[in-house]
Amino acid sequence: MTPETRAADFDAADPLADYRERFILPDNVIYLDGNSLGALPKATPERVQELVEKEWGGGLIRSWNSAGWFEMAGRIGGKIAPLMGAAPHEVIACDSTSVNLFKLISAALQMRPGRKVVLSEPGNFPTDLYMIAGLEAQGLAARRLAERDRIVEALDGDVALLMLTHVHYKTGALHDMVAVTRAAHAAGALVLWDLSHSTGALPVDLNAAEADFAVGCGYKYLCGGPGAPAFAFVAERHQADLRQPLTGWFGHAAPFAFSDDYTGAPGIERLQCGTPPVLGLAALEVGVDLIAEIGVDRLYAKSQALSEFLLECLMAHDVQLELVSPPRSADRGSQLSFRHEHAYAICQALIARGVIGDFRAPDVLRLGFAPAYLSFADMAAAARYLAEVLTSGEWQRPEFNQRAAVT
Ligand SMILES: *Cc1c(COP(=O)(O)O)cnc(C)c1O
């Protein structure tokens, strides 16, 4: 049996196969970068057009009330919440992941007076590490990094906050959210999880893990579109005491009282700062609705099957690439990463053949599996192309070796 015939059998039995029709994807593209920018849901252009023409063009300022613009951030947060084991009133869609990190790191530091250390791991996503720097410059935080197998022992009485990315962006390696959260709490620290590569891809249960805070992206597995608003989670038990530093008027208890003094809104709305990006929220809502309709459990089951099958196809083609992701699908998120000295050029050569993955410096080829719109036939084809790119040496062509500024 060739990989292609096995793929046909898997596709015929795939309960999610029809969801591909709910996305707009170019012909002849195998999109293995939905972990970086999710594909476009078919319903999004129509919804955005409706918002622009009817709600903005026709409703004008009245639409803040009549079209529910005021409630959008909370409403969409409430729809993201069940995807990660949170209650609807614990999540809001707002700002970017970076900005939400800043707000929540600062809030956590204020909840642990006398402690300044924000503990994370080297190689965490850059913005997560960089967002500590601004607080360090103000003398409010001190960054400490510990390798993932040393994190628990690095949790001493100086640590205010442990901040980790649940699924590592480069390798896909998964942290044990329950165990790590428990260890941090035992040391008196709070925990902030970055779920950028988790939400919408695999089951997460923030409240079962007793997580304190979480953030994540709207434009990756949630298919909210480029620059989509991010989300933030604050456990209910912390909401009353939460003090975040970006005390803008949209986080005020009564924005339209136009008072001179700031009083934070009682619940998760306090995390808002300025006027929400309504167009971006509208696009995000379509993606969230679609991912919620399919269901995270089914998406995760298929993503595991896809990645296992891709590995099997690579073996069938005798492709020898160093896997940097955990070999067991239960230990990784929805991606496979391979190390190769010429990963950049190989990635470019694959893109030229229509297989869009991505390169992560210095030497990682990353293939993401957003199972809502991928087939097993896509895996068989991607593996075949990768084998051909490697054996033909076509990646050595000069045009595949000229690096662009943004990859
Ligand atoms: C993608 C990603 C981000 C992106 O943050 P932005 O503010 O949206 O640019 C942050 N953290 C992690 C772990 C990511 O994977």
Side-chain angles (χ1 to χ4, degrees):
M1 240 189 184
T2 65
E4 279 73 11
T5 46
R6 276 175 61 70
D9 288 347
F10 286 139
D11 282 329
D14 173 15
L16 305 190
D18 290 344
Y19 281 104
R20 190 187 182 94
E21 292 306 308
R22 304 278 293 275
F23 292 87
I24 297 174
L25 284 159
D27 293 336
N28 303 319
V29 160
I30 296 173
Y31 193 54
L32 304 183
D33 216 355
N35 50 331
S36 208
L37 176 64
L40 170 64
K42 224 169 233 176
T44 304
E46 197 182 319
R47 171 65 187 122
V48 171
Q49 191 178 4
E50 177 194 33
L51 189 139
V52 169
E53 293 180 354
K54 291 204 183 117
E55 298 180 16
W56 176 13
L60 293 165
I61 197 140
R62 294 168 291 189
S63 289
W64 280 102
N65 291 307
S66 61
W69 290 353
F70 277 121
E71 290 83 39
M72 270 176 115
R75 179 176 77 231
I76 298 167
K79 290 178 174 184
I80 297 171
L83 304 178
M84 50 191 196
H89 64 279
E90 293 176 313
V91 181
I92 191 154
C94 63
D95 298 315
S96 64
T97 301
S98 302
V99 171
N100 288 333
L101 283 166
F102 183 80
K103 289 184 285 191
L104 293 178
I105 296 168
S106 169
L109 286 162
Q110 292 178 72
M111 288 164 67
R112 288 291 178 273
R115 296 180 178 219
K116 271 194 181 174
V117 171
V118 179
L119 175 63
S120 192
E121 65 175 316
N124 193 356
F125 192 83
T127 211
D128 297 57
L129 299 179
Y130 301 163
M131 291 316 294
I132 307 170
L135 290 157
E136 261 184 325
Q138 297 174 61
L140 299 171
R143 189 179 86 168
R144 180 186 293 171
L145 303 181
E147 296 289 348
R148 51 176 55 208
D149 55 349
R150 292 285 172 84
I151 283 167
V152 173
E153 61 193 82
L155 283 162
D156 62 21
D158 294 328
V159 179
L161 177 71
L162 172 60
M163 179 180 74
L164 292 171
T165 299
H166 178 227
V167 173
H168 195 278
Y169 78 101
K170 213 185 266 187
T171 67
L174 206 55
H175 276 292
D176 182 340
M177 181 180 283
V178 173
V180 172
T181 303
R182 190 177 302 140
H185 286 171
L190 295 159
V191 184
L192 165 50
W193 288 103
D194 189 330
L195 301 180
S196 291
H197 287 275
S198 308
T199 308
L202 63 154
V204 173
D205 199 337
L206 287 169
N207 281 332
E210 297 183 15
D212 301 291
F213 308 110
V215 297
C217 290
Y219 51 80
K220 292 173 177 165
Y221 291 102
L222 295 179
C223 299
F231 60 84
F233 158 88
V234 176
E236 185 188 69
R237 64 185 178 282
H238 295 314
Q239 289 185 0
D241 298 328
L242 189 89
R243 286 197 291 151
Q244 64 100 347
L246 304 182
T247 47
W249 71 309
F250 257 76
H252 196 281
F256 292 90
F258 298 106
S259 155
D260 284 349
D261 300 309
Y262 181 81
T263 309
I268 192 77
E269 281 74 23
R270 187 181 303 182
L271 272 194
Q272 293 192 94
C273 181
T275 307
V278 172
L279 291 171
L281 284 169
L284 173 62
E285 187 163 24
V286 177
V288 170
D289 283 342
L290 183 49
I291 294 302
E293 177 190 326
I294 306 172
V296 172
D297 289 337
R298 293 203 296 169
L299 288 164
Y300 181 52
K302 183 171 169 188
S303 101
Q304 288 184 300
L306 288 171
S307 67
E308 291 294 320
F309 182 59
L310 182 83
L311 288 173
E312 190 187 311
C313 295
L314 291 175
M315 292 235 293
H317 291 294
D318 205 24
V319 170
Q320 312 282 344
L321 273 177
E322 182 194 347
L323 182 67
V324 291
S325 300
R328 273 171 21 107
S329 65
D331 298 331
R332 60 180 186 248
S334 203
Q335 71 185 66
L336 285 173
S337 300
F338 301 94
R339 184 174 289 126
H340 192 286
E341 190 189 346
H342 299 290
Y344 179 82
I346 292 165
C347 184
Q348 294 305 308
L350 275 178
I351 291 172
R353 283 169 171 258
V355 180
I356 303 181
D358 65 21
F359 164 75
R360 284 295 173 263
D363 56 6
V364 169
L365 171 68
R366 188 176 71 159
L367 306 177
F369 308 99
Y373 42 86
L374 288 174
S375 67
F376 290 86
D378 290 334
M379 300 299 107
R384 182 174 296 277
Y385 290 150
L386 182 51
E388 287 172 9
V389 161
L390 288 168
T391 51
S392 68
E394 82 191 46
W395 58 269
Q396 291 169 20
R397 283 196 224 142
E399 70 264 33
F400 298 144
N401 286 273
Q402 281 150 9
R403 293 207 188 176
V406 176
T407 57

